[in-house]
Amino acid sequence: VISFENVTKVYPLPAGDVVALAGVDLAIEEGEFVLIMGPSGSGKSTLLNIMGSLDVPTSGEVMIAEKRIGGMDDDDLTLLRRDHIGFVFQQFNLIPLLSVVENVEYPLILKGRQNGTRERAEEVLQAVGIEKTHFTHKPGELSGGQQQRVAIARALVNDPAFLLCDEPTGNLDSKTGTAIMTLLDRMNREEGKTVVMVTHDPRMTEYADRTIRLVDGRVEE
Amino acid sequence: VISFENVTKVYPLPAGDVVALAGVDLAIEEGEFVLIMGPSGSGKSTLLNIMGSLDVPTSGEVMIAEKRIGGMDDDDLTLLRRDHIGFVFQQFNLIPLLSVVENVEYPLILKGRQNGTRERAEEVLQAVGIEKTHFTHKPGELSGGQQQRVAIARALVNDPAFLLCDEPTGNLDSKTGTAIMTLLDRMNREEGKTVVMVTHDPRMTEYADRTIRLVDGRVEE
Ligand SMILES: Nc1ncnc2c1ncn2[C@@H]1O[C@H](COP(=O)(O)OP(=O)(O)OP(=O)(O)O)[C@@H](O)[C@H]1O
Ligand SMILES: Nc1ncnc2c1ncn2[C@@H]1O[C@H](COP(=O)(O)OP(=O)(O)OP(=O)(O)O)[C@@H](O)[C@H]1O
Ligand SMILES: [Mg+2]
Ligand SMILES: [Mg+2]
C-alpha cells in the first residue's frame, strides 16, 4: 500500500547538492509494522517525510494508498495527510501558542469535526499517559518526554490508517517508551493500522514485522 | 564542587503550581562523571537547568564552583555560564539563522576571543563527527542527529570545566552515540572535567562514576 520506485531526493545548496536518498525501492503492505533504521544522516527522516507527503521526491515514483505522490498538487497532498496519515515528527512540531489539549484537538478541527473534539482529544492524551493536570500547559511548560507524547496523541487523534513515527520514543524513559510501543502495537495488531517507525533502539525490533536499513541514502540489501 | 541543599522548584501556572523539584539534596565532586536518570517529567531537565545557572530555584541553596547561584544577578550568572559551563540542551537550541560553524563559533566570540575562532570551531565539529561538507548548512538543513552533535560541539568549544548534558545521545544511532560518549569519557578521565548527564539509556552507566535517580522531583534513596 506504500511503494517507492527508484526514489531520489536531492537538497540543492550553494555549497553543493546533498543526496539524501539515492534510488530507493521499497514496498510496505497494508497492516505491516516496519522499522526504518540506520546511521545519523542516512536519510531516514527524508524518507519518512516523503512517505507522509510532507515533501516530494526529486525523482522516482511514490504511491500511497493507490495515489501517486509526485502527481498531486498541494491541496490534494494536504487532504491525503489530513485524512489518512498520522505523523509523529522527530522535533515534535507542537504549536507553541496552543495548549496541550488544543494542539491535539487541532487535527480534528482541520478535518471539520464540530462535536466532541475536546472529549476525543482528552481521551487520546490519557491513552498516551498525559495527566489532566497538564492539559492546559503550553508546550514550553512541558518536559521533553511530555511534549513527545503530546505529539504522539496528535498523530493518533484522527484515527489514521497510516502511522509514520520519526523516533517516537527517543525522549522517553524505558517504562514510558514501552507503554507507547504497546499502544502502537495494539493499533497495528487489533486495528490493522500500517505503522512505519524510524528508531535507533534495537529493542523495538520485537514489535515490528521487519526492518529496512538505510545507509547513505540507500536501502541496504 | 556542585551542591544542592533542599532545592525546590515550583512553576506557578494558572491551573495550579507544578512542583518540579521537591527538597533536592545532592553533591558532585570535581572530576566526577554522574548520570541523572528518572521517568519522564521527574524533574531532570529542571535540575540540570538550575545546575547550569539557566534558572534559579524557588527555594534552597545551590553552589557551583564556590558561588551561590541564588545570590547572583543575571550578569554574574551569564559570566559563570559563559566561562565555566558547557551545556547541551535537550532541544538543541541552535540559532536557526547561523550556519553550523557560526553556531559553534558563537560562544568563542561571546567570550571575547578574536583569533582562531573559525579554526577552533572546525576542530571541535570534526571531533564530534560533523563533516566539512555540512559546515555551511543552517540547522534546518541538518538531520536530527547532526543537529545534536553540533549542539555538543558548541558546548565543548570554550573548553569548560563543567559539562552538563541533557540527553546528548537521544537522537543518535548506536555507533555515533558511542563515539560521543568516548569523547566525553576522555574529557572526564584525561582532562578532569566534571560531567553531569541526563539520559534514559542504561548503557550509559558504564561510563559514569555513579547515578542519581529522580522520581517526582525527589532524589531517590
Ligand atoms: N516551564 C515550565 N512551566 C511549567 N511547568 C514545567 C515547565 N518545565 C517543566 N515543567 C513541568 O515540571 C515537571 C518536570 O519537568 P522536567 O522538564 O524537569 O522533566 P524531565 O525529567 O526532564 O522529563 P523528560 O524526561 O520528559 O524530559 C513536569 O511535570 C513538567 O510538566
Ligand atoms: N532541509 C535540508 N536541506 C539540506 N540538507 C538536508 C536537509 N534535511 C536533511 N538534509 C541532509 O540530508 C541528509 C539526510 O538527512 P535526514 O534528516 O534524512 O537523516 P536521518 O537519517 O533522519 O538522520 P538522524 O538519525 O540524525 O535524524 C543529511 O546529510 C542531512 O544533512
Ligand atoms: Mg532523522
Ligand atoms: Mg527533560
Side-chain angles (χ1 to χ4, degrees), chain B residues 155-169:
Chain B
L156 301 179
V157 78
N158 266 333
D159 200 31
F162 303 94
L163 284 170
L164 308 185
C165 311
D166 202 345
E167 306 201 41
T169 59

Side-chain angles (χ1 to χ4, degrees), chain A residues 1-4 24-36 47-48 51 63-66 161-164 188 193-197 209-212 219:
Chain A
V1 66
I2 294 175
S3 74
F4 277 42
V24 168
D25 293 293
L26 62 78
I28 292 173
E29 304 292 332
E30 187 175 355
E32 268 197 291
F33 195 137
V34 178
L35 295 190
I36 312 282
L47 185 146
L48 213 70
M51 193 177 285
M63 306 284 288
I64 309 287
E66 322 284 322
F162 304 93
L163 285 169
L164 308 185
N188 168 253
K193 296 183 186 307
T194 306
V195 180
V196 181
M197 174 180 300
D209 298 315
R210 61 190 169 103
T211 298
I212 292 175
V219 174

Side-chain angles (χ1 to χ4, degrees), chain A residues 13 15 18 38-41 90-92 136-137 141 143-147 149 167 170-173 200, chain B residues 13 15 18 38-41 90-92 136-137 141 143-147 149 167 170-173 200:
Chain A
L13 292 180
V18 177
S40 177
Q90 196 169 11
Q91 313 287 345
F92 318 148
T136 56
H137 285 216
E141 298 159 340
S143 79
Q146 288 165 344
Q147 289 181 45
R149 280 174 283 151
E167 306 201 40
N171 276 269
L172 302 180
D173 60 279
H200 286 302
Chain B
L13 292 180
V18 176
S40 177
Q90 195 169 11
Q91 312 288 342
F92 319 148
T136 56
H137 286 217
E141 299 159 340
S143 79
Q146 288 165 343
Q147 288 179 48
R149 280 175 283 153
E167 306 201 41
N171 277 270
L172 301 180
D173 59 280
H200 286 302

